Each structure stands twice: as structure tokens, then as C-alpha cells.
Amino acid sequence: MTMRIGSLLKGVALLAIGAAFTPLKATPEEASLNRATAPSSSGSVAGWTEFLDGLRDLPERILARLPAEQRDDPQIQQEVGRLALSAVASATIDALTADPDHPVFTPQINNFITIGQPNADTNYRSAKITPGGTYRLRGRRGSMNMVRIAEGGPRPPQVEGQVNLGGIRPIHDLNGLSVDPAGRYDVILSPFKPEGYTGEWWQLDPTTNMLLVRMVGSHWGEEVEPTLSIERLDVPASRPRPPARILEEKLRAIPTFANFIAPLLVDRVEKLRADGIVNKLRAADMSQLGGLKGQFYYEGAYDLKEDEALIVEAPLPEICVYRSLILTNDIYETTDWYNNHSSLNGAQAPADKDGILRIVVSAQDPGVPNWLDTAGYPTGAIQGRWTDCSSQPVPTVRKVALKDVRKSLPEDTPTIGNEERDRQTRDRRAALQQRPLW
């Protein structure tokens, strides 16, 4: 998938490169060949010019939501360009694959498509469906800690200055399905249970137009990912040639979606700063942002010098299906967790003997197990989540000098040397690359 996304982004970049490149003068033979093969002046692809024009000012639209010092920062400008490409890549994948009558689960967000601030442990996939249709999912259930399929509905009207992706909708638990001796599941989704059907069935909201799968792992490299297929049962199995009208609609929809999603959360970190939530945490309401039912979120901005660290502390809930702590940059992209020690979940970050979970956030490695690497971002956000836990504490945060980290932790805190940390980072990268994204 990394290669596919990379190729897609490269293709988008080549559009700009081609526009700026001035070719060498063609030989007479080449000019004759070009005239013979060039399309006639009357031929064009309807919607293509509008597609290009609709994306022309996307980076400027994103930058406009940031404070002046960030808008003028060449580093952040290029990161905004990356975010814009992420939005275009996501919309392009949708344009190429989405067919509600013949759906397929495709990548939603990840370490390379960073819109929406993905969770490091979650493999997201989505499929567009037709409201009121009857669908069948089947595959092998695997052994992931959590596999939830959320229904998505029509986007509600947007109000200037507010973010609203719609309230929490029905969610289905893949791990709750029965399986055969080979571990295979088979379930039908529809607004009404088919007459005479006695197998597994999930009721669909009649307005649902998308399914979003979250496959959440904690023990990377040990859990087995589920397999997923989807088909609509109340239409013919074969898929005829898509008409030109539909292809044009999809092309025109790319800039519409990219211009909506790319700037959506880009100022969230700045808003935390404006509210004074710097090097501290508060509960975060994600109910209108596609948050997962049963999941409690907390977040805050961080601001650290090279010789400083934050110690995040919370009593560990007695019961907890899943927990994590991740970092983002200033434009709310999740910090690259493939190549940095910048996310921790319940299997990776144990609590201390006193039942307190302690995690150190810093630019330099403090040599302790529970460390989050800011990875070159002196400012950004910390976000955590408790999923189906018996309590939802908002952690406290202490800023200390990096040299004082060890004296601020329990005496029996283990030491992680440079070689061990290097091995950990390489092992986590290998485990993540081996998780299928498509």
C-alpha cells in the first residue's frame, strides 16, 4: 500500500512538474509524430479543467486558517502541501474505487494519508454503500483486539467556525460474530432482516451511506488481521461499464472533498493554545467528529525545548479494552509512528507498580520504556483515548528538565539503552509495514 500511495502522490506531483517543465525543441520527425497523435482541438475530458482549477488554491485555503507565524514558516508551508496531497490522494482513491452497488473496502487514513489525524494502532478502511441496500460481509475474523464497523451518514450542514461530521451512529462489533471451525464469519447488513434468514444479521440505519472499519491492534506483529469482503445482494453481481456521467461526477467531486477535509482540523492545535491548554490535558468531545462510541478522548497542546520533558500521569483503569497516547504536529497530522517511538498503547506502555501510568514526552530519549518521541516537532498536540474502560481519567502533566526525568519517576523504572531503543524502533516499523493497509 505504501508503494501504491507513493505512486499516486507522485502522479499528482507530476502534473505540477509537467506544467513547469519546458521541453527541448522537437525534431521535425518528432513534431510530425506529435501532430499525428495529438487529440483534435474539439476533444476534451469534461470536468478535467475544473478538477485542476478546484485544487489550485487548496494549500492557501489551509494556510489561511493558521496564525501568521505558521503561515510564513517554510517548513509548515511544505507540511501543508503534504496535507493537501493527502486530501487529494484520499479523494482520488474514492473516485477510482467507490461504487455503492459494487463496493470494496479501501484505505481511509493512515501514516501516509494523514487527514483526520489517524490513530497509530488503527487500520482504517471504508466502503460506500447505497442507503436502504442489502449487503453481505464475509471473511476470517482474525485475532485483533478490537474490530468495529461504524455506519456513516449524510454530511450535516456546516456552520462557519464549527466542525461537524455528524453524531455517533450505529457501530457493529466484528469480534462479536460467530465463526465456523476455520474462523470464517458471514453476516448480512440491511434495514430489515431478510424474510426466512436465520444467519448473522446487523440492522443498518436506512440513511447509512458508508461503512468505516477500525481494526485496532495492540500487540503488533502477533495479532492476525481480519479479512473483509463486501457485496450488495439486491443488485446483479456483474458490474456494467460506468457511464460517462458518473465518471465525470467522481472527477468533479475530488476538489470538493479535498477542499472540505484538508483544512477541517488544521487549526485544532492552535485553538488548544488559545484556550490555554498548553502542557496540560482536557477531555475532548469527538461526538461530532466521527468519534467511536464508548471511547473517551483527551488532548492538549505541548511546547517543549530540547532539554525539557513532560511526564504524563494517570491512574490505570481496572478494566480497559484499549488505551493509547499519540502525538501530532502543529497542523494536527499524527506524528510519523512508523519511524519514530511516537505512539504507545496498552501492550507497549505498562503502568508502574503503584498502578499509575507514566509516560515521558520529549525530543531527546530519556532512556525509559514509556517514551514518546516528538520527532523534531517542538510544538504539537498530545492525544489519548480510553476505550470501553471502567474509568476515564484525564491525566495530569508535569514539565521537568530532561536531566531530572529519572528522579521524577519511580526508582525501579527500567533503563532503555541506545541499542535497545534502535531495535525497538526497527521492530515496530517492521510490524507496522507487515500490517496490510489495503
Side-chain angles (χ1 to χ4, degrees), residues 297-349:
Y297 300 83
Y298 57 87
E299 65 182 2
Y302 74 82
D303 190 335
L304 287 171
K305 296 182 174 64
E306 282 286 314
D307 60 352
E308 294 177 331
L310 298 179
I311 299 178
V312 181
E313 299 174 292
L316 193 65
E318 292 184 9
I319 301 171
C320 203
V321 171
Y322 171 75
R323 61 178 168 89
S324 75
L325 200 67
I326 61 176
L327 302 177
T328 83
N329 64 9
D330 276 327
I331 60 174
Y332 214 54
E333 294 177 298
T334 308
T335 303
D336 175 9
W337 66 90
Y338 270 55
N339 302 295
N340 304 287
H341 206 266
S342 58
S343 73
L344 289 170
N345 61 43
Q348 298 165 342

Side-chain angles (χ1 to χ4, degrees), residues 354-371:
D354 59 2
I356 303 298
L357 175 65
R358 296 179 176 89
I359 294 176
V360 179
V361 181
S362 61
Q364 298 184 50
D365 190 344
V368 299
N370 293 355
W371 171 52

Side-chain angles (χ1 to χ4, degrees), residues 99 239-247 250:
D99 182 342
R239 179 177 183 247
R241 179 184 189 180
R245 174 183 58 83
I246 297 298
L247 296 177
K250 290 186 174 197

Side-chain angles (χ1 to χ4, degrees), residues 78-91:
Q78 291 302 318
E79 289 167 354
V80 162
R82 177 180 62 199
L83 181 64
L85 282 176
S86 276
V88 174
S90 176

Side-chain angles (χ1 to χ4, degrees), residues 14 29 76 153 211 269 296 299 324 368 374 399 404 410 419:
L14 286 174
E29 293 80 8
I76 290 182
L211 299 175
V269 181
F296 176 86
E299 65 182 2
S324 75
V368 299
T374 58
K399 186 166 76 169
D404 294 332
E419 289 187 8

Side-chain angles (χ1 to χ4, degrees), residues 39-46:
S40 65
S41 58
S42 62
S44 65
V45 176

Side-chain angles (χ1 to χ4, degrees), residues 51-93:
F51 156 71
L52 296 174
D53 289 343
L55 295 172
R56 207 170 298 280
D57 66 347
L58 177 56
E60 286 73 21
R61 289 168 56 87
I62 301 172
L63 285 166
R65 300 189 62 155
L66 298 175
E69 62 270 21
Q70 292 182 357
R71 291 198 301 269
D72 296 336
D73 184 334
Q75 179 69 33
I76 290 182
Q77 289 171 356
Q78 291 302 318
E79 289 167 354
V80 162
R82 177 180 62 199
L83 181 64
L85 282 176
S86 276
V88 174
S90 176
T92 303
I93 290 174

Side-chain angles (χ1 to χ4, degrees), residues 107-159:
Q108 178 77 3
I109 52 178
N110 51 51
N111 193 50
F112 312 102
I113 300 180
T114 57
I115 53 173
Q117 192 254 326
N119 178 37
D121 296 304
T122 305
N123 189 338
Y124 301 85
R125 299 183 202 172
S126 66
K128 295 290 179 64
I129 64 173
T130 300
T134 297
Y135 293 86
R136 180 187 186 188
L137 301 183
R138 47 182 165 164
R140 294 185 185 273
R141 192 172 64 186
S143 63
M144 299 298 291
N145 179 43
M146 210 169 74
V147 184
R148 307 282 171 85
I149 302 179
E151 300 183 25
R155 186 188 305 161
Q158 301 300 301
V159 177

